[in-house]
């Protein structure tokens, strides 16, 4: 019996970056963009608000890009402050590296298991709707209704088997087999 679990984002993650006004290092993205035109060149920023003082910071998305090089659909989404686009851009490694930010996904995702019964033997396919780094031990504990200690004990005893390492964090799809 193959079960499908899905890790789904529930909101935008917290942006970890130093605030220049207060000692806070956490920012909330609300999906607002600032598009600035200089003749035929565009600058685009994603605006984020400090959770401590409310100061606005700008995350660079495009810098001095030629207007003709930006797809019209993307430009429309930027002007409309598309929340889905903001989520995609926050997960883009190039944007994160350019702006020297990290993301905190605590409380910004949920696990959809689809069933509530617990058979003695099951194969589970875990799919990620977004690149959310989560420990497989936490997913197994939440999905099976066990404590993390119990899940770690099952892994040590060989009752949970997977092709991926279950001790670190994963953000890509994987499968595992649980034997009781």
């Amino acid at each position: 019996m193959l079960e499908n679990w899905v890790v789904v984002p529930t909101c935008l993650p917290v942006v970890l970056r130093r605030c220049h006004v207060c000692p806070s290092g956490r920012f909330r993205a609300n999906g607002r963009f600032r598009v600035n035109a200089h003749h035929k060149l565009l600058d685009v920023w994603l605006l984020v608000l400090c959770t401590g003082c409310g100061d606005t910071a700008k995350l660079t998305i495009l810098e001095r890009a030629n207007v003709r090089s930006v797809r019209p659909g993307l430009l429309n989404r930027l002007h409309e402050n598309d929340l889905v686009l903001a989520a995609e851009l926050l997960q883009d490694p190039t944007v994160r590296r350019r702006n020297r930010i990290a993301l905190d996904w605590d409380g910004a995702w949920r696990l959809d298991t689809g069933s509530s019964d617990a058979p003695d033997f099951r194969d589970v396919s875990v799919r990620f709707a977004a690149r959310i780094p989560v420990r497989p031990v936490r997913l197994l504990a939440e999905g099976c209704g066990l404590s993390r200690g119990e899940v770690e004990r099952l892994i040590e005893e060989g009752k949970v088997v997977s092709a991926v390492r279950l001790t670190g964090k994963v953000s890509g799809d994987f499968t595992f087999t649980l034997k009781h």
Side-chain angles (χ1 to χ4, degrees):
M1 175 165 125
L2 179 67
E3 289 187 26
N4 294 309
W5 292 1
V6 183
V7 178
V8 181
T10 56
C11 61
L12 292 176
V14 172
V15 175
L16 301 177
R17 174 185 170 169
R18 188 176 64 87
C19 180
H20 296 289
V21 177
C22 74
S24 175
R26 302 172 67 80
F27 286 80
R28 274 271 173 220
N30 58 5
R32 298 225 179 262
F33 292 94
R34 169 128 190 246
V35 181
N36 198 13
H38 307 280
H39 301 287
K40 294 183 181 181
L41 301 176
L42 284 180
D43 288 326
V44 177
W45 300 280
L46 176 62
L47 303 178
V48 292
L49 299 172
C50 177
T51 58
C53 66
D55 188 49
T56 301
K58 299 185 287 188
L59 303 179
T60 303
I61 305 301
L62 294 175
E63 193 169 33
R64 300 291 180 189
N66 191 317
V67 173
R68 293 180 188 261
S69 69
V70 180
R71 294 185 326 269
L74 174 63
L75 195 55
N76 286 340
R77 290 176 73 188
L78 290 168
H79 283 298
E80 293 169 357
N81 294 317
D82 188 353
L83 194 60
V84 174
L85 178 61
E88 291 170 8
L89 292 171
L90 278 175
Q91 294 179 44
D92 185 358
T94 307
V95 171
R96 291 199 324 247
R97 190 173 31 257
R98 177 189 299 151
N99 292 287
R100 297 185 200 107
I101 62 169
L103 301 178
D104 181 8
W105 283 95
D106 285 347
W109 62 273
R110 74 174 190 277
L111 178 65
D112 289 338
T113 58
S115 70
S116 59
D117 58 340
D120 289 339
F121 173 80
R122 65 172 124 173
D123 291 323
V124 178
S125 171
V126 180
R127 191 176 59 78
F128 286 78
R131 287 187 301 258
I132 303 171
V134 182
R135 295 186 187 281
V137 171
R138 182 173 178 189
L139 290 176
L140 271 87
E142 191 171 317
C144 297
L146 303 170
S147 70
R148 288 190 206 173
E150 290 177 274
V151 171
E152 289 172 355
R153 183 181 52 77
L154 289 173
I155 291 171
E156 288 174 9
E157 293 175 357
K159 293 186 177 181
V160 177
V161 182
S162 179
V164 299
R165 189 172 52 110
L166 297 173
T167 54
K169 286 189 175 184
V170 295
S171 58
D173 301 351
F174 69 97
T175 59
F176 69 89
T177 302
L178 175 65
K179 309 171 201 171
H180 275 287

